[in-house]
Amino acid sequence: MGVLWFLVLAIACSIPLSYVFRAAMAQVLPHDMAIAARDMPLTAAFGILVIAVYIFIATFAPLLAPYAERTVVGTSFQPWDSTHLLGTDRLGRDMLSRLIYGARNTVGIAFATTALAFVVGSLLGIWAALRGGWLDQGLSRFVDALMAIPSLIFSLLLLTIFGTSVLTLILVIAAVDATRVYRIARSVAQGVVVMDYIEAARLRGEGNWYLIRREILPNALAPLVAEFGLRFCFVFLTISSLSFLGLGIQPPMADWGSMVRDNATLITFGDVTPLLPAGAIALLTVAVNFVVDWQLYRASGLKEQG
Amino acid sequence: MNAVLVMIAQRLALGVLTLFVVSVVIFGATELLPGDLASALLGQAATPETLAALRTQLGLNDPAPVRYWNWATGVLQGDFGVSLATRRPIADMLSARLGNTIFLALYAAAIAVPLSLVLGVLAALWRNSLFDRVANAGALSAISFPEFFVAYILIFLLSQSGFFPSLVRLTPDMELSDKLYVTFLPALTLTLVVTAHMMRMTRAAIINLLASPYIEMARLKGLSPLRIVLRHALPNALAPIINVIAINLAYLITGVVVVEVVFVYPGLGQLMVDSVAKRDIAVVQAIALIFASAYVLLNLTADVLSTLTNPRLMRRK
Amino acid sequence: MMADLLLTIKDLKIEGRAGEDWLPIIKGVDLTLHRGEVLGLIGESGAGKSTLGLAAMGFARDGCRISGGEIVFDGIDLRKASERKKRGLRGRRIAYVAQSAAASFNPAHKLIDQYAEVPVLDGKSRKTTQAEAVTLYRKMQLPAPEEIGFRYPHQVSGGQLQRAMTAMAMANHPDLIIFDEPTTALDVTTQIEVLAAIRDIVREYNTAAIYITHDLAVVAQMADRIKILLRGEQVEEADTRTMLAAPKADYTKSLWAVRSFTRPELPHASTAPLVSVQNVTAGYGKLDILRDVSFDIHAGRTVAVVGESGSGKSTVARVITGLLPPRAGQVVYEGQPLPPDYRARSREQLRQCQMIYQMADTALNPKLSLREIIGRPAQMCLGLKGRALQERVRDLLALIELEPDKYIDRLPGELSGGQKQRIGIARALAAEPKLIICDEVTSALDQIVQEGILKLLDRLQREFELAYMFITHDLATVKAIADDVVVMQHGRIIEQGPKARVFSPPHEPYTELLLSSVPHMDPDWLTTLLTARA
């Protein structure tokens, strides 16, 4: 039951913390953003705060971690004490240090994968929507067929074939997710392409690149940014799940998913340590989802008024 | 009615076509192997002679369409070939596990579907109330949790203190009640994850519906809120709700993989993960095909059902 | 007189939610209505007419709240009445007819079941109710009154649905019906039938009504008394004839004056045509939208292409611009045939013909500043750069009567509807074209704003010797600005020629129907017309 008390305490602390953080943002930021900051819900402020902390930890991991990422510094499964704040893992590596390096590895790889999926998927999607005709039909039917296979299952299939290394992991997940991004980007862009201003631009002879860059992208950006957040969560969870299954990021690299797997036995003995990396994953996805939810709400609210 | 039959026939044909394409993709994926299956299997130990022998044995010397044809016709007759790792027939490995996985998925669905529909409808009716906000924040958090996190929290809370077993041991002659008891934790894990998704989607679908002009008209006719929901909203809500259910049952397919591993549940997902680790491509292909077919069939069913509940499509001009 | 007072609204205030704040929508309006009386509620978009109409039922939409004043219906205070009590009134003693019947009928139920819902709940037998429904359908002049009720909403046309909805509102013989723009979405020829049916039935049952519309000529036919709203405040109120003859407030006078804009007619064109559409047949898929369409557009003149929805008038524009290559026929520009597909046309050819769209909101990229929206065509088509380009943008802004310094860096979202339409005009002018196609450019605008746009277009035409092709369904606009008229129906040209000739008898039957269907500002117009047609 100690965990529950800890959770209640954490939530109780995070509310005033988010409140202070929101007030601080409203003070520091330039005018327009300050107004947005002032009006945002506490959940979104909490989300931004958490994301900022994660970025900070990931950036300065080597400075923050008390021990090296891969060095064995004690015996296996040491309990929490003053030298190893969160104890040690199965091989006797410092848990806290690996947790901190994990922020860099897990989040970094998930971010790179999402970014890759996004560039490929959204450019193809917008291009298909703009060109229409056989190109659009061909690409879309191809993507439909790929999407008829559940993404985790497809990823597993591809990983079997290409083996498990960080690079294949990034490429495989990015390829699978690019199909989902393509769908969204295409439908958003289709909403824009039917607008009269696109017709006007075409009728004065603008090329595809200008249309994408100046006419479509600025108008598709808001939904795409929200989608980026959602996609990131999804990719992050998928990579973590794969690592948890032993098929993702491979040891000795510190990674949250495999840390849960390696130390899972402790849970049955009532030790919460293996839940910490899982909690770290959950906390970041919750934070991103809160921010995305707020952005989506804002986008829909603004639309209603206009 | 004929138009509807034609439309359903079209959907079914499209479903069969999709299944065909999916099977081609799954089969074709092996063609992407650097080298071929035989060299992947033998790895460092390959000599030209053993390679050639294995190629003949696996039928790799045939052109790809022939191999696809042999594989596909085999699958249709229930023959998935032999495992590359154990040399056992794959069909034998799958049969018991398929039943277990379906049992787990149905168990979770039986709890999750009614629960999330009720929660979603209530959240939509009382939108912006405290209930709605709490349910929403809760659902958003649950969506954000990896399945194994939910699973381990449940183990930590419910199994460590001895309420439910954390490892699932199924025996063929088990009573249903025992079976439900030992599989309770994995089913609950799946339920929690799926309910969150389904509740949010149901809520969005209902809110969208309640904003339509004919609902305002019903209110302006002086009808009671209950009558408005039952007679004016519900008949039009069937199609979106069917789609929500289908999407989430399909989501169960993915969720089941991780959950089976956590609870050491003897299902398809666990076998698939083991086979990926062993790079037993034949087994992975077979299971991927089963999961993908289930996914396609679910979507197809939803598509047909929502066509049947749409009055605009059912009664043409 | 006091005895037959039905509805009194005093100092009514309604607010709408905008984020965390509440903004006023109705700012203290009074209204009285007697039994059997029809009150016309007139106002432009955003005047709060619908909100006021719904408030007469004690109803506020989600996101709105009634914040002050009183609403008394037949001795019942609707602001204090319980929800249950108000529900008992709605659909029984106060009924509502919505603007879009197509969206307001439930797609899942038959028309007659929706008609019978409230009467059956109140204890009438289904059989009697259905018999009554058929009687009302007949009175509303619906075709096949015995059967039409057994159809689903999507199986019935818009004008018929609107009448079926009025019949549904009449089901319980209410004391009051709120009509919320019931004919706005309909074509003029359909509008007549609906107007006549509504007027007759309201008179026959001696029902009081609040008739909400933005169209003065329509309200003149329907209402005994007219009340004018402007941004949530009442401007003036008088009985219909007085109001039409002698409006008092400046705002009302300006509303009346709009209709008086006309321009001097040009002498007949003698030169060769600028654009000649020759025997064009075009369509999508297997369907022909245009069949053998030919007409000319002369430099410096305005051709108005008139027709109802589905007549193919917008498709003509798509053929001329090259967005829809025709199946047969061709478009000739200054004697040279244009390539059918715009992608095959040269920049110079594209430059010569520009478009202005109906919805300025979708015609202007909301993420670009006016500087780029107007500057880009000047840069592309005329090759202007740097200082010259900036000067050109400022000149164009000045030309459309927007102050360059103030507006050049704004986004479209920061402009009013009329200003946005002006930017659309400036963008078309930026390419220095010879022909501008105006697709329903004034239909989405309020009348006063419409007049400003028409005057601007007229001035620019004379200044730059522009040819306009004006696509519209609004004959009032045609009368105001056209030199030549092309009348279209079902993808064919019914009649064409100089305005004076097309608009003076004898007409083709369809032109006659179209012309006679446009409501006049004369309260007796509908009666006279119906007698003449019968």
Side-chain angles (χ1 to χ4, degrees):
Chain A
M1 286 301 111
V3 182
L4 278 186
W5 281 115
F6 175 74
L7 273 180
V8 171
L9 195 72
I11 292 174
C13 290
S14 63
I15 290 174
L17 209 62
S18 323
Y19 192 83
V20 171
F21 179 66
R22 180 173 69 180
M25 273 199 293
Q27 287 294 321
V28 174
L29 291 173
H31 184 69
D32 285 6
M33 289 163 79
I35 290 178
R38 202 191 57 209
D39 290 342
M40 79 170 116
L42 270 187
T43 47
F46 172 75
I48 294 177
L49 177 63
V50 169
I51 294 170
V53 170
Y54 272 68
I55 292 175
F56 177 80
I57 292 178
T59 318
F60 297 104
L63 300 177
L64 294 170
Y67 298 92
E69 180 184 357
R70 304 174 186 195
T71 326
V72 175
V73 291
T75 54
S76 66
F77 294 142
Q78 269 173 258
W80 297 10
D81 61 27
S82 53
T83 44
H84 301 289
L85 287 177
L86 297 178
T88 56
D89 70 358
R90 195 165 52 97
L91 298 176
R93 293 170 298 198
D94 183 59
M95 203 65 185
L96 177 64
S97 305
R98 284 184 70 77
L99 209 53
I100 290 172
Y101 276 103
R104 177 176 265 199
N105 300 336
T106 315
V107 179
I109 289 174
F111 187 83
T113 311
T114 318
L116 184 62
F118 232 77
V119 172
V120 175
S122 57
L123 279 183
L124 280 178
I126 293 176
W127 191 45
L130 186 64
R131 286 289 303 274
W134 61 267
L135 179 105
D136 181 29
Q137 285 302 316
L139 259 178
S140 297
R141 291 298 83 77
F142 176 67
V143 165
D144 280 351
L146 291 188
M147 281 182 69
I149 306 173
S151 61
L152 184 68
I153 305 298
F154 199 29
S155 309
L156 286 174
L157 179 70
L158 291 179
L159 286 174
T160 319
I161 294 163
F162 295 114
T164 45
S165 75
V166 170
L167 186 64
T168 50
L169 187 71
I170 291 178
L171 291 178
V172 162
I173 307 275
V176 172
D177 268 76
T179 58
R180 273 76 182 167
V181 177
Y182 169 88
R183 263 274 183 90
I184 301 278
R186 175 171 172 270
S187 80
V188 170
Q190 271 184 328
V192 179
V193 164
V194 297
M195 292 291 170
D196 292 333
Y197 55 82
I198 301 291
E199 189 181 299
R202 281 180 163 160
L203 283 180
R204 65 172 181 258
E206 299 283 6
N208 283 339
W209 182 235
Y210 176 87
L211 288 174
I212 292 180
R213 196 171 48 85
R214 294 301 302 159
E215 306 276 357
I216 299 178
L217 215 48
N219 289 293
L221 209 57
L224 285 183
V225 167
E227 175 62 17
F228 187 88
L230 292 178
R231 248 327 101 192
F232 172 79
C233 289
F234 195 83
V235 167
F236 185 55
L237 287 177
T238 308
I239 290 183
S240 302
S241 293
L242 286 173
S243 304
F244 170 77
L245 296 173
L247 309 169
I249 302 169
Q250 296 297 316
M253 205 179 207
D255 157 75
W256 291 338
S258 40
M259 282 169 76
V260 179
R261 169 196 172 85
D262 285 349
N263 305 298
T265 37
L266 285 180
I267 295 172
T268 34
F269 299 112
D271 188 337
V272 293
T273 317
L275 288 181
L276 292 177
I281 296 167
L283 185 62
L284 180 59
T285 27
V286 170
V288 174
N289 266 323
F290 277 158
V291 177
V292 169
D293 219 38
W294 168 56
Q295 285 297 330
L296 287 175
Y297 177 77
R298 268 186 58 178
S300 69
L302 292 177
K303 214 179 283 166
E304 274 160 29
Q305 279 170 24
Chain B
M1 277 310 284
N2 268 333
V4 175
L5 287 181
V6 169
M7 184 177 286
I8 288 176
Q10 281 172 348
R11 297 284 153 91
L12 289 177
L14 191 66
V16 172
L17 184 69
T18 313
L19 278 177
F20 167 70
V21 174
V22 164
S23 70
V24 169
V25 170
I26 288 176
F27 176 82
T30 45
E31 303 293 313
L32 299 173
L33 268 178
D36 68 357
L37 204 54
S39 52
L41 264 179
L42 292 173
Q44 300 289 328
T47 64
E49 293 78 41
T50 50
L51 265 178
L54 192 60
R55 279 195 185 120
T56 321
Q57 191 196 341
L58 294 172
L60 290 182
N61 294 325
D62 294 330
V66 174
R67 279 181 287 128
Y68 172 75
W69 175 254
N70 292 338
W71 179 71
T73 45
V75 166
L76 285 177
Q77 291 158 15
D79 174 17
F80 288 88
V82 291
S83 153
L84 301 181
T86 62
R87 301 290 160 133
R88 282 176 53 205
I90 295 173
D92 294 353
M93 300 164 74
L94 296 185
S95 56
R97 287 175 175 265
L98 178 61
N100 289 343
T101 294
I102 291 176
F103 174 78
L104 181 59
L106 287 181
Y107 189 1
I111 311 175
V113 170
L115 181 69
S116 51
L117 290 186
V118 169
L119 287 178
V121 170
L122 288 182
L125 286 181
W126 302 332
R127 62 180 172 284
N128 298 328
S129 68
L130 186 66
F131 171 79
D132 182 30
R133 279 163 202 236
V134 170
N136 244 325
L140 199 54
S141 307
I143 290 170
S144 313
F145 289 2
E147 285 97 350
F148 57 85
F149 187 43
V150 178
Y152 280 126
I153 289 179
L154 289 179
I155 290 179
F156 190 80
L157 295 178
L158 296 176
S159 163
Q160 198 212 69
S161 33
F163 292 120
F164 293 96
S166 66
L167 299 181
V168 182
R169 281 192 194 84
L170 291 177
T171 48
D173 50 349
M174 235 173 189
E175 295 275 332
L176 180 65
S177 57
D178 288 340
K179 218 170 157 185
L180 288 177
Y181 171 71
V182 295
T183 51
F184 181 71
L185 283 188
L188 185 62
T189 308
L190 278 175
T191 302
L192 284 178
V193 178
V194 174
T195 302
H197 275 282
M198 218 187 306
M199 190 212 104
R200 273 171 72 87
M201 290 162 87
T202 310
R203 177 182 179 275
I206 299 283
I207 285 183
N208 194 10
L209 195 76
L210 290 181
S212 22
Y214 57 80
I215 298 295
E216 181 175 90
M217 190 68 212
R219 292 169 74 188
L220 291 172
K221 277 165 84 178
L223 303 176
S224 68
L226 187 67
R227 195 178 165 83
I228 291 176
V229 168
L230 292 183
R231 187 158 164 82
H232 287 271
L234 214 53
N236 296 295
L238 283 176
I241 287 178
I242 289 170
N243 278 316
V244 169
I245 294 176
I247 292 171
N248 286 284
L249 290 185
Y251 183 83
L252 274 176
I253 295 172
T254 316
V256 94
V257 175
V258 175
V259 171
E260 284 185 0
V261 171
V262 175
F263 291 96
V264 200
Y265 184 93
L268 284 184
Q270 202 201 26
L271 177 62
M272 182 169 195
V273 171
D274 288 348
S275 308
V276 175
K278 291 186 218 148
R279 302 195 67 181
D280 189 343
I281 186 82
V283 177
V284 175
Q285 264 181 344
I287 301 178
L289 187 65
I290 291 176
F291 278 138
S293 310
Y295 190 79
V296 172
L297 290 176
L298 264 173
N299 285 323
L300 182 64
T301 316
D303 213 15
V304 171
L305 281 181
S306 50
T307 309
L308 290 177
T309 56
N310 185 338
R312 286 172 211 249
L313 294 177
M314 282 302 282
R315 301 180 195 83
R316 288 254 151 145
K317 282 186 187 173
Chain C
M1 199 60 189
M2 283 308 286
D4 64 356
L5 198 60
L6 183 65
L7 176 75
T8 357
I9 291 177
K10 270 193 198 134
D11 195 25
L12 182 71
K13 292 193 174 80
I14 301 178
E15 297 174 339
R17 186 200 287 277
E20 297 296 304
D21 307 319
W22 290 90
L23 300 177
I25 298 176
I26 299 288
K27 307 161 187 164
V29 171
D30 302 323
L31 186 153
T32 53
L33 191 65
H34 302 267
R35 279 185 194 279
E37 186 185 32
V38 179
L39 175 73
L41 214 49
I42 286 262
E44 302 183 329
S45 51
K49 326 180 275 289
S50 294
T51 315
L52 182 58
L54 289 170
M57 308 180 77
F59 184 89
R61 285 202 167 117
D62 288 336
C64 292
R65 65 174 186 200
I66 300 175
S67 55
E70 63 179 48
I71 308 160
V72 180
F73 174 79
D74 202 19
I76 307 161
D77 186 339
L78 292 185
R79 284 204 66 203
K80 296 198 182 103
S82 67
E83 259 319 299
R84 204 186 169 79
K85 179 146 197 175
K86 282 190 277 187
R87 279 212 299 274
L89 291 175
R90 292 177 194 151
R92 282 96 177 167
R93 298 194 58 202
I94 315 176
Y96 179 77
V97 175
Q99 173 170 0
S100 166
S104 296
F105 270 119
N106 192 322
H109 303 295
K110 292 177 190 148
L111 293 179
I112 205 155
D113 291 342
Q114 302 192 47
Y115 173 97
E117 188 170 16
V118 176
V120 169
L121 274 180
D122 291 347
K124 262 195 199 176
S125 87
R126 183 165 290 273
K127 220 174 155 185
T128 346
T129 317
Q130 292 195 347
E132 285 173 5
V134 171
T135 317
L136 272 170
Y137 289 156
R138 185 168 290 124
K139 283 194 175 146
M140 295 301 295
Q141 289 151 25
L142 282 165
E146 283 86 9
E147 291 143 40
I148 196 163
F150 294 90
R151 297 200 199 148
Y152 285 84
H154 65 275
Q155 298 167 321
V156 178
S157 78
Q160 292 169 6
L161 274 183
Q162 210 70 48
R163 278 180 274 170
M165 178 157 279
T166 308
M168 180 163 85
M170 292 304 297
N172 285 296
H173 303 312
D175 300 306
L176 169 64
I177 302 189
I178 318 287
F179 291 99
D180 192 353
E181 307 240 18
T183 63
T184 305
L186 305 176
D187 282 327
V188 275
T189 50
T190 324
Q191 170 168 275
I192 295 272
E193 298 160 13
V194 178
L195 285 180
I198 290 180
R199 196 180 62 168
D200 293 348
I201 202 124
V202 167
R203 284 195 186 153
E204 183 177 341
Y205 288 88
N206 195 30
T207 315
I210 295 179
Y211 196 100
I212 298 167
T213 179
H214 67 279
D215 190 333
L216 288 162
V218 163
V219 88
Q221 313 310 314
M222 309 301 284
D224 303 314
R225 212 148 42 93
I226 294 178
K227 186 181 190 69
I228 296 182
L229 287 184
L230 173 64
R231 289 191 281 275
E233 287 175 274
Q234 52 202 14
V235 177
E236 70 176 307
E237 184 180 333
D239 75 71
T240 303
R241 284 171 197 277
T242 319
M243 182 74 98
L244 288 175
K248 287 200 196 78
D250 288 342
Y251 174 69
T252 321
K253 284 180 192 157
S254 69
L255 278 179
W256 265 232
V258 172
R259 297 259 165 183
S260 59
F261 171 70
T262 45
R263 41 167 261 186
E265 205 160 326
L266 294 175
H268 279 219
S270 50
T271 50
L274 177 71
V275 174
S276 176
V277 177
Q278 296 175 349
N279 306 98
V280 163
T281 296
Y284 304 93
K286 283 183 186 148
L287 199 69
D288 279 346
I289 309 276
L290 295 179
R291 295 190 197 92
D292 198 20
V293 167
S294 309
F295 64 93
D296 293 340
I297 304 171
H298 292 269
R301 290 172 72 86
T302 302
V303 176
V305 180
V306 196
E308 296 186 286
S309 49
S311 62
K313 56 188 189 301
S314 293
T315 311
V316 178
R318 295 182 69 78
V319 170
I320 295 178
T321 51
L323 286 165
L324 179 71
R327 265 195 260 283
Q330 59 179 357
V331 178
V332 176
Y333 183 85
E334 285 183 335
Q336 298 292 317
L338 284 175
D341 191 319
Y342 75 94
R343 278 167 288 202
R345 293 183 187 174
S346 69
R347 285 230 170 136
E348 183 58 20
Q349 284 169 328
L350 288 171
R351 181 180 76 83
Q352 298 293 346
C353 170
Q354 294 291 316
M355 277 201 70
I356 311 175
Y357 297 86
Q358 173 176 7
M359 306 297 293
D361 281 322
T362 63
L364 305 180
N365 186 339
K367 301 288 178 187
L368 297 184
S369 69
L370 302 191
R371 189 191 292 275
E372 182 161 357
I373 292 177
I374 302 175
R376 181 70 188 180
Q379 181 192 349
M380 279 226 21
C381 306
L382 308 175
L384 294 181
K385 280 197 196 82
R387 197 178 193 90
L389 181 62
Q390 298 309 320
E391 280 310 309
R392 176 71 182 146
V393 172
R394 300 173 73 85
D395 289 348
L396 284 164
L397 279 172
L399 209 55
I400 55 164
E401 296 152 20
L402 291 180
E403 202 181 310
D405 289 328
K406 199 167 152 194
Y407 287 98
I408 194 160
D409 285 315
R410 291 209 187 173
L411 295 174
E414 298 167 276
L415 304 179
S416 72
Q419 288 173 335
K420 281 183 215 166
Q421 201 53 288
R422 283 169 190 262
I423 299 302
I425 295 173
R427 177 177 60 188
L429 280 182
E432 299 185 356
K434 290 192 177 158
L435 169 67
I436 297 184
I437 298 178
C438 306
D439 190 355
E440 301 270 11
V441 285
T442 56
S443 347
L445 301 173
D446 288 326
Q447 285 186 357
I448 294 181
V449 186
Q450 282 187 19
E451 190 191 10
I453 296 290
L454 292 181
K455 280 182 175 159
L456 174 65
L457 285 172
D458 182 45
R459 202 193 77 212
L460 294 172
Q461 179 167 48
R462 280 182 274 118
E463 213 163 308
F464 299 104
E465 187 71 8
L466 291 166
Y468 289 146
M469 177 173 134
F470 217 93
I471 298 166
T472 183
H473 68 278
D474 182 11
L475 286 151
T477 314
V478 177
K479 281 183 177 155
I481 51 105
D483 300 307
D484 304 295
V485 178
V486 174
V487 181
M488 293 191 65
Q489 186 194 20
H490 305 319
R492 291 180 192 280
I493 291 181
I494 299 290
E495 193 173 5
Q496 61 174 311
K499 177 169 71 177
R501 202 180 76 214
V502 172
F503 280 175
S504 50
H507 305 292
E508 292 289 318
Y510 178 72
T511 316
E512 170 64 36
L513 178 69
L514 211 56
L515 282 173
S516 66
S517 299
V518 179
H520 292 195
M521 295 275 278
D522 165 13
D524 299 321
W525 167 79
L526 184 60
T527 322
T528 324
L529 175 75
L530 291 174
T531 335
R533 280 193 188 171

